[in-house]
Amino acid sequence: MHQSFSAVGIGVVALGGIAFANPYNGPWEYQPIEGSAYGQASTTWDVPYIVPEGYHQWMVKDETVLDVYPGVDDLHDMNTQNEGGHQAGRYMYNTYEVNSGGAIAVTNLKTGEAQILAQDSDWGFDWNRLDGIRWTPWNTLLITEETAGGKVYEVFLEKHDPTKVTDIVERGALGSLRHEGIDVGQDGSVYVIDEYNGGSIFRFVPSEKEDLSAGTLYALKFTGLTDEEQKWSSSTFDDKVGAFEWVTLDQELAQADGDAAANAVNATEFGRPEDLEIIDNTLYVANTSEDRVIAVDLGAQTVSTFVEAGLNVPVEVAGSVTGFNSPDNLAEGPDGTLWIVEDNDYSDIYQATMDENGDGAADSVSLFASLKDEGAETTGIYFGKDRKVMYVTVQHPDKDLADGIWAISKKNK
């Protein structure tokens, strides 16, 4: 694995022996910060992140605004907005990653008012560790359970009032998995993952576009590896690149146990695939245990290593050297670049530019922000209708009642 952190035509900032590339000019141009928040821990912050000069941050909602689970951390997780339909962009939705009594909240971004959109018992469900959330092109919400036997649910909203739910339907055809990230492709296919060491990547093709009640679930499998080489290993995951195929699963088995269905066809196993993001016709997957983000070219059906510690971003030495450690959630930035947050102490936010030189890897990776609360992690990164604002979740912070959503932008609130 080569130690190169520069890119043609892109400047590099060397900071205490660490090299971070400057991203190209664009709506989020900035000078990368000097490093993670080592020595800058705070539990009383009004500004939880170290951010580049010229950027501002403000709280959108925390437990002082809406405390869904009094006495314990609410465990805010992923975020999305009503990207289409009535008053598009006005409302933000988030999940809560609690073990029982799962809920979805909605926040009015104009007034700051927040309320529970839906809670499991009100709809006859028993939601466990709700995590992923995605607005669909047909104006519904998809939510996922990150737990063994987890399901995907589709939330239908009133056409002229997206703060009210009309129905919630379990979408069992998308598999019974440790679901976290979820995204919808241009052709209406839905992509999901199984979040554990040995988890696979799945594609669901509905029988009818925009109708998730029936269809076919597939799993990704490399064509150049033996069945034994498809298995998860901390020593061989770098070999998992190249051509792949989508292998059809036993649909009945997948609805009962998606992992068993993937194992039955020797689908490729990864190290904790946690989140997905489609940009153009490429599916990016954050493999947390591998310190790696892969790029899945959906047209050419090839996989490459897009960002990896030691490849195009430094390796972290805990407590002293800033680097890439445990990538978790992903988001498409306003200029088509990929943004990545870590499940790490301290939790950093990175930006990766696209692969212009054709080697399969990001041409540059830069450090945008670092969370100063050592006990917390960043999750739920999201760019909404206003592309000049980034939303992130601060989960399980050391500060009381601070579990919630923050905005970061060059502009003031």
Side-chain angles (χ1 to χ4, degrees):
M1 197 181 297
H2 66 281
Q3 295 281 321
S4 174
F5 309 115
S6 62
V8 177
I10 298 175
V12 173
V13 180
L15 304 164
I18 305 169
F20 288 113
N22 283 322
Y24 57 79
N25 294 339
W28 282 75
E29 182 182 4
Y30 59 91
Q31 183 74 12
I33 65 171
E34 293 186 358
S36 299
Y38 295 128
Q40 301 180 64
S42 173
T43 59
T44 59
W45 38 246
D46 295 318
V47 284
Y49 288 91
I50 300 171
V51 295
E53 184 177 355
Y55 281 81
H56 309 279
Q57 51 193 302
W58 64 90
M59 188 267 288
V60 175
K61 180 195 69 171
D62 66 7
E63 292 159 296
T64 66
V65 177
L66 177 64
D67 192 3
V68 180
Y69 306 98
V72 297
D73 288 336
D74 276 4
L75 298 180
H76 285 72
D77 213 306
M78 293 200 203
N79 308 308
T80 193
Q81 285 176 272
N82 57 324
E83 297 173 355
H86 185 65
Q87 296 183 321
R90 180 166 182 169
Y91 299 101
M92 172 156 282
Y93 307 91
N94 72 272
T95 53
Y96 295 94
E97 198 180 5
V98 295
N99 289 327
S100 62
I104 316 163
V106 57
T107 303
N108 186 323
L109 294 175
K110 289 189 176 181
T111 67
E113 296 174 306
Q115 65 187 58
I116 295 175
L117 178 74
Q119 197 148 13
D120 57 359
S121 58
D122 296 333
W123 292 89
F125 298 115
D126 182 18
W127 288 335
N128 188 342
R129 297 180 63 84
L130 288 183
D131 196 325
I133 187 167
R134 182 73 66 167
W135 186 266
T136 71
W138 52 94
N139 297 333
T140 64
L141 285 170
L142 297 178
I143 60 171
T144 70
E145 292 179 294
E146 187 211 342
T147 188
K151 305 292 186 180
V152 175
Y153 299 85
E154 186 165 16
V155 182
F156 295 84
L157 305 170
E158 285 194 9
K159 184 175 181 179
H160 297 295
D161 186 356
T163 70
K164 294 182 180 179
V165 176
T166 60
D167 198 10
I168 302 176
V169 180
E170 180 183 309
R171 294 306 191 189
L174 276 75
S176 178
L177 303 164
R178 302 161 186 82
H179 285 282
E180 186 165 342
I182 187 168
D183 205 352
V184 182
Q186 297 173 359
D187 65 351
S189 296
V190 181
Y191 296 86
V192 294
I193 45 79
D194 197 2
E195 193 276 297
Y196 80 112
N197 284 333
S200 296
I201 300 169
F202 301 83
R203 178 191 185 200
F204 175 75
V205 180
S207 300
E208 295 185 21
K209 192 173 182 179
E210 302 184 358
D211 179 358
L212 305 183
S213 61
T216 304
L217 189 66
Y218 302 85
L220 185 151
K221 182 177 182 179
F222 285 105
T223 58
L225 300 179
T226 66
D227 287 346
E228 184 62 29
E229 290 169 335
Q230 307 286 354
K231 297 184 183 302
W232 156 249
S233 170
S234 60
S235 61
T236 63
F237 65 80
D238 273 320
D239 297 335
K240 291 176 178 175
V241 293
F244 73 89
E245 59 184 341
W246 292 110
V247 181
T248 306
L249 303 180
D250 180 317
Q251 303 301 295
E252 184 176 349
L253 178 59
Q255 292 196 34
D257 187 337
D259 181 44
N263 290 340
V265 297
N266 295 296
T268 306
E269 297 180 347
F270 297 92
R272 287 184 64 199
E274 294 211 35
D275 200 12
L276 308 170
E277 189 70 30
I278 298 173
I279 302 178
D280 295 328
N281 202 34
T282 299
L283 173 71
Y284 297 92
V285 183
N287 293 333
T288 302
S289 296
E290 302 174 6
D291 292 338
R292 182 172 76 134
V293 176
I294 59 174
V296 182
D297 187 319
L298 297 173
Q301 292 201 179
T302 58
V303 173
S304 65
T305 296
F306 188 67
V307 176
E308 184 177 0
L311 174 67
N312 49 7
V313 64
V315 176
E316 178 148 3
V317 178
S320 59
V321 178
T322 299
F324 196 61
N325 190 352
S326 299
D328 192 340
N329 291 154
L330 307 174
E332 178 183 358
D335 49 6
T337 58
L338 183 71
W339 292 71
I340 309 163
V341 301
E342 298 176 330
D343 181 359
N344 184 34
D345 307 327
Y346 296 83
S347 180
D348 295 331
I349 302 175
Y350 286 91
Q351 180 193 20
T353 59
M354 294 297 99
D355 171 27
E356 300 293 344
N357 61 14
D359 66 354
D363 288 348
S364 70
V365 183
S366 57
L367 180 59
F368 175 76
S370 186
L371 181 58
K372 293 185 289 184
D373 189 320
E374 187 175 10
E377 67 171 288
T378 302
T379 182
I381 186 169
Y382 175 76
F383 294 84
K385 298 292 287 185
D386 183 348
R387 306 298 278 170
K388 295 180 180 179
V389 181
M390 170 198 297
Y391 295 95
V392 287
T393 294
V394 177
Q395 192 185 81
H396 54 75
D398 287 332
K399 182 181 176 183
D400 291 338
L401 299 177
D403 199 303
I405 305 168
W406 285 74
I408 302 175
S409 178
K410 277 187 176 179
K411 67 181 187 178
N412 286 307
K413 181 178 179 180

